[in-house]
Amino acid sequence: MPLERLLVETDAPYLAPMPYRGKRNEPSFVVNTAKVLAELKGVSAEALAEATTDNFFRLFTRAERPA
């Protein structure tokens, strides 16, 4: 999947990423998922964060991007 189509989210309350496996999933754990995804895509975590943020605002056009 191209980087300009990716979003990263947590909607599986009982499937936390490593190293939190076995615990209830928390929204803050999305950082771990994003780091692994960045490695798989061969980009920095910062580049993935920028791309997924841009993708969010492109998809959800009513959301206002903070200044």
Side-chain angles (χ1 to χ4, degrees), residues 34-66:
K35 285 180 184 177
V36 171
L37 185 56
E39 289 176 19
L40 290 171
K41 296 298 283 179
V43 298
S44 69
E46 293 78 16
L48 183 88
E50 184 176 322
T52 55
T53 298
D54 289 343
N55 296 344
F56 170 86
F57 285 107
R58 195 170 41 255
L59 180 62
F60 299 101
T61 58
R62 291 185 183 202
E64 292 186 28
R65 188 183 288 258

